[in-house]
Every structure is written in C-alpha cells, then in structure tokens.
C-alpha cells in the first residue's frame, strides 16, 4: 500500500519497514519452506512470481505490508543490510470499506536462525547432548562457570533436524477438562 511506503516503525526489539523488492530474495527463501507454507496457508511461488506479488501488495489499496527487522542487529552497524536483519512480516488488511477503522492483521516470524544454550562447565552430559545436536561452543565464561553453545540454522541443519524428528507427532496435551487431584 502506498500509505506505508515511506513509514518506518522503530521499536525496542523490532523495526517495521515497508516490503520492498530488496526484501524479496530472503522472503522467497523463507517461503520455500513447506512448514511456513502450511502455517501461512501459502502456495509456493517462483522468484519472479514473488517479485510480482511484492509489487501488487505495494500497489494494493487495502493492504499494508511491513517486514520485521531485528532492531539490535539493524542498528549495530550502518553497513548492515535490511535483508540480513529480516525476522518476519506483518500484513494489515482493510477488510471493510464501510468501516475504515476495522482491519485484519497477520504476523509471521520466520527469521529465528540461531539458538544458544548456556550450560554449567561441569555439566558434561548436557554439553555432549547439545554437541550431538550440532551445537558448537562459542564462548566460555570463567566468571559464571558456564559454556555457551550455539546452533546456527541453515538448510542443511534444518534437513538434518527434520530427519531426526520425523517420528515426532503433535498431539493435544489435555482434553480441555480441568484435572482433579
């Protein structure tokens, strides 16, 4: 929507910027994920189709689309690209022309790519477990007597994790009734 084409919303944790063609390659990579397609009820698009979609959203009179950036990363260095700070998107749809105060909002967070575990230096079983899950040691704090391990997600790690968890089923935790003790 042209209404938000020059709007930047700066928060403490995130920055919202208009969805531009510079964001399309990263957005397209996210949307190749079958899981994200399922979660967002989206169909897979080619890169060219994604560019066309971005352009149509920009021109659409009843939609505002923002890209969510990690504020800390975005503000860290002037040379940091928006694409490298992308974490998701926010879509606002004006759904009722008779009531311009009513809208629908969609939020997608897709950019979580690093996981850290802080473990006591003496907790060898936990350290080994995280290393088996491909976490790598990135820091040691002698003050806190802990080790920091990190897993940086990429397509290879994602595929490995999906293979390791292919047997996992999602089920309802409780049937909704209160438990009696």
């Amino acid at each position: 929507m042209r209404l938000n084409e020059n709007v930047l919303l700066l928060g403490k944790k995130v920055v919202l910027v208009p969805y531009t063609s510079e964001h399309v390659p990263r957005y397209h990579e996210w949307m190749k994920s079958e899981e994200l397609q399922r979660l967002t009820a989206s169909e897979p698009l080619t890169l060219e189709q994604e560019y066309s979609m971005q352009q149509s959203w920009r021109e659409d009179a009843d939609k505002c689309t923002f890209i969510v950036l990690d504020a800390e990363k975005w503000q860290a260095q002037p040379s940091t690209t928006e694409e490298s700070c992308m974490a998701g998107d926010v879509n606002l749809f004006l759904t009722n022309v008779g009531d311009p105060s009513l809208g629908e909002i969609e939020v997608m967070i897709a950019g979580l790519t690093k996981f850290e575990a802080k473990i006591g230096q003496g907790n060898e079983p936990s350290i080994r477990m995280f290393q088996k899950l491909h976490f790598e040691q990135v820091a040691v704090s002698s003050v806190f007597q802990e080790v920091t391990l990190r897993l940086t997600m990429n397509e290879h790690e994602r595929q490995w994790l999906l293979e390791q968890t292919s047997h996992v089923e999602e089920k309802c935790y409780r049937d909704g009734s209160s438990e009696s003790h």
Side-chain angles (χ1 to χ4, degrees):
M1 179 184 262
R2 296 234 176 243
L3 181 66
N4 75 318
E5 72 180 332
N6 294 311
V7 175
L8 178 146
L9 301 172
L10 178 60
K12 292 179 182 176
K13 300 275 186 181
V14 298
V15 179
L16 300 182
V17 297
Y19 183 35
T20 68
S21 60
E22 114 182 47
H23 304 119
V24 171
R26 178 87 184 268
Y27 189 86
H28 180 67
E29 285 302 312
W30 288 342
M31 296 313 294
K32 286 181 180 178
S33 160
E34 289 180 13
E35 181 183 15
L36 273 182
Q37 290 172 21
R38 182 180 56 80
L39 292 172
T40 61
S42 300
E43 295 293 324
L45 300 175
T46 66
L47 184 59
E48 293 76 26
Q49 290 170 319
E50 202 73 69
Y51 276 107
S52 295
M53 186 69 72
Q54 179 274 325
Q55 190 64 35
S56 75
W57 288 350
R58 185 173 180 267
E59 302 297 327
D60 205 330
D62 64 353
K63 184 183 298 145
C64 284
T65 301
F66 290 95
I67 293 296
V68 179
L69 306 178
D70 177 320
E72 184 178 329
K73 192 174 181 182
W74 183 71
Q75 294 174 319
Q77 293 182 13
S79 63
T80 304
T81 66
E82 288 181 7
E83 188 179 16
S84 69
C85 302
M86 288 172 60
D89 73 352
V90 174
N91 296 299
L92 302 171
F93 302 97
L94 305 176
T95 55
N96 186 338
V97 287
D99 183 0
S101 66
L102 177 64
E104 177 185 328
I105 188 168
E106 292 179 354
V107 178
M108 176 190 72
I109 301 300
L112 190 60
T113 59
K114 293 179 189 166
F115 300 89
E116 284 190 350
K118 294 184 188 262
I119 304 167
Q121 283 178 311
N123 191 344
E124 287 297 324
S126 288
I127 292 170
R128 281 194 305 275
M129 179 193 73
F130 278 97
Q131 288 172 333
K132 285 180 183 176
L133 294 171
H134 296 189
F135 281 69
E136 296 177 353
Q137 183 173 311
V138 293
V140 176
S141 171
S142 54
V143 173
F144 293 108
Q145 304 242 325
E146 68 184 13
V147 175
T148 301
L149 301 167
R150 179 182 298 153
L151 173 65
T152 302
M153 293 300 291
N154 56 37
E155 189 56 30
H156 174 75
E157 290 295 342
R158 186 175 120 14
Q159 286 301 323
W160 180 83
L161 188 58
L162 287 172
E163 289 168 14
Q164 300 304 307
T165 59
S166 63
H167 64 281
V168 175
E169 295 178 54
E170 181 178 335
K171 294 189 175 201
C172 185
Y173 176 57
R174 293 195 175 118
D175 62 6
S177 62
S178 61
E179 292 183 29
S180 57
H181 285 66

